[in-house]
Amino acid sequence: DSKNNLYIGTEKQGALIYDLNNKKFTKYFSPDTNPFYNRINDIFVDRNQLIWILTKSGGIAVYSPSADKFIQAIRNPLSSSSLSGDNCTSIFEDKTGIIWVGATGALNKYDATNIKFQHFTNDPLNINSLSDKMVRGIYEADNGDLLVGTDGGFVNQINRTTNTIIRHRIKLPGIEKPCVPMYFIDLDEKTILIASSVGLIAMNKKNYTFSRYNPLQSVFQNKMTRQVLKRNQKLYVVSASSLYIFDTVNGEINKYNNFSSDPLKRATNAT
């Protein structure tokens, strides 16, 4: 965030805030508190410095560091404008400030003014809809198109001006199963880096072709990579319950796999 804090989620062992400047943990969200007993699927800091903590079955906790309080958003079966589901997998804030959430059943567009969600989902009879109903990753292309990764191994390119969708299937040599895109970041002016169910994938921005990310292919090939972040010259990659920090200039890589604030515990499945 703006204060150089790193947010870490775990598998049913809560969430933590780590101060990168002072190299210490500063807050622990205990699994004894709802919804932090769930797997933490994703953590996102919006432009207002609110922290969106996405869980596997408890919806979203929106945390305010200034107030040190959070509110919870969950699916309401009696409301068509609540979250589409409580398994929330991905989140993105576009250039206009709109928050998009991937959850069970749909892509959710958050209306902050009216505090409600609009749903975009798969329609088997409409090719101009999402490829399937389980959204895993969301991103905004340089031209404003929304990129939505789904369980079937597709990047759905949504043109919000024409309201059209192009489905791009991720195909890699030797991989028959779906390559599920989980997380997107800008690597450089030509490439988007995707954390996926089969490792790190480089996507060409111009023609939407896909290939392995060569510098880390031997480390993450065919391994689930849940998230990737870029800060200056370093990549931060979450995979197999561990955090990897890769220096893109000198090639140095470090691995960390104990995120618990309790020295007697080891947190797992970090996000």
Side-chain angles (χ1 to χ4, degrees):
D1 63 9
S2 62
K3 296 183 178 179
N4 211 25
N5 290 312
L6 179 67
Y7 295 83
I8 300 171
T10 69
E11 174 80 31
K12 300 181 180 181
Q13 291 179 314
L16 306 98
I17 301 177
Y18 183 74
D19 184 334
L20 290 169
N21 293 327
N22 297 307
K23 297 183 175 7
K24 66 178 182 179
F25 291 99
T26 58
K27 188 171 181 65
Y28 179 48
F29 299 91
S30 170
D32 296 331
T33 303
N34 184 32
F36 302 109
Y37 61 85
N38 286 274
R39 173 196 293 173
I40 307 300
N41 284 330
D42 201 351
I43 301 176
F44 179 77
V45 184
D46 69 18
R47 64 181 60 188
N48 297 314
Q49 296 301 299
L50 294 175
I51 317 303
W52 296 65
I53 304 174
L54 280 60
T55 72
K56 185 177 181 180
S57 61
I60 304 171
V62 184
Y63 172 68
S64 169
S66 60
D68 194 25
K69 294 181 180 179
F70 73 88
I71 59 173
Q72 188 177 3
I74 59 174
R75 176 179 178 268
N76 180 353
L78 302 179
S79 172
S80 61
S81 59
S82 72
L83 274 174
S84 63
D86 288 334
N87 181 11
C88 299
T89 57
S90 52
I91 185 170
F92 185 79
E93 182 177 20
D94 68 23
K95 295 181 180 71
T96 67
I98 294 174
I99 297 288
W100 300 82
V101 177
T104 307
L107 172 68
N108 296 253
K109 179 182 179 181
Y110 178 60
D111 181 343
T113 302
N114 298 304
I115 314 179
K116 64 180 183 180
F117 294 89
Q118 179 183 359
H119 304 152
F120 300 83
T121 188
N122 168 261
D123 180 351
L125 301 179
N126 183 6
I127 191 65
N128 197 42
S129 66
L130 293 183
S131 55
D132 52 89
K133 294 184 176 182
M134 196 66 203
V135 174
R136 292 293 182 181
I138 310 167
Y139 198 63
E140 186 175 16
D142 294 338
N143 65 357
D145 286 355
L146 204 63
L147 307 181
V148 181
T150 58
D151 255 7
F154 287 84
V155 175
N156 296 258
Q157 180 187 358
I158 304 176
N159 185 315
R160 289 181 281 171
T161 301
T162 61
N163 292 316
T164 55
I165 299 176
I166 301 174
R167 302 173 180 177
H168 302 276
R169 184 179 179 183
I170 300 176
K171 295 181 180 179
L172 296 174
I175 302 294
E176 298 297 329
K177 64 181 180 180
C179 305
V180 183
M182 312 288 286
Y183 209 90
F184 302 80
I185 65 164
D186 257 18
L187 183 63
D188 53 45
E189 61 181 15
K190 296 181 180 180
T191 308
I192 288 176
L193 192 61
I194 303 174
S196 81
S197 58
V198 295
L200 291 179
I201 297 173
M203 186 185 87
N204 185 292
K205 291 182 180 181
K206 184 177 180 179
N207 56 25
Y208 285 79
T209 55
F210 305 90
S211 60
R212 297 280 190 185
Y213 178 58
N214 287 331
L216 291 174
Q217 180 173 344
S218 62
V219 179
F220 299 115
Q221 184 166 341
N222 299 328
K223 292 182 180 179
M224 172 70 75
T225 50
R226 294 187 177 276
Q227 286 181 311
V228 57
L229 302 173
K230 184 181 180 184
R231 184 179 177 84
N232 299 323
Q233 67 188 45
K234 293 183 178 180
L235 293 178
Y236 296 78
V237 184
V238 175
S239 176
S241 303
S242 300
L243 171 67
Y244 296 80
I245 301 178
F246 173 64
D247 191 311
T248 59
V249 175
N250 62 27
E252 181 182 354
I253 186 167
N254 292 292
K255 177 181 177 181
Y256 304 89
N257 57 15
N258 187 1
F259 308 114
S260 177
S261 58
D262 184 340
L264 298 180
K265 294 181 179 180
R266 180 171 178 262
T268 60
N269 202 14
T271 58

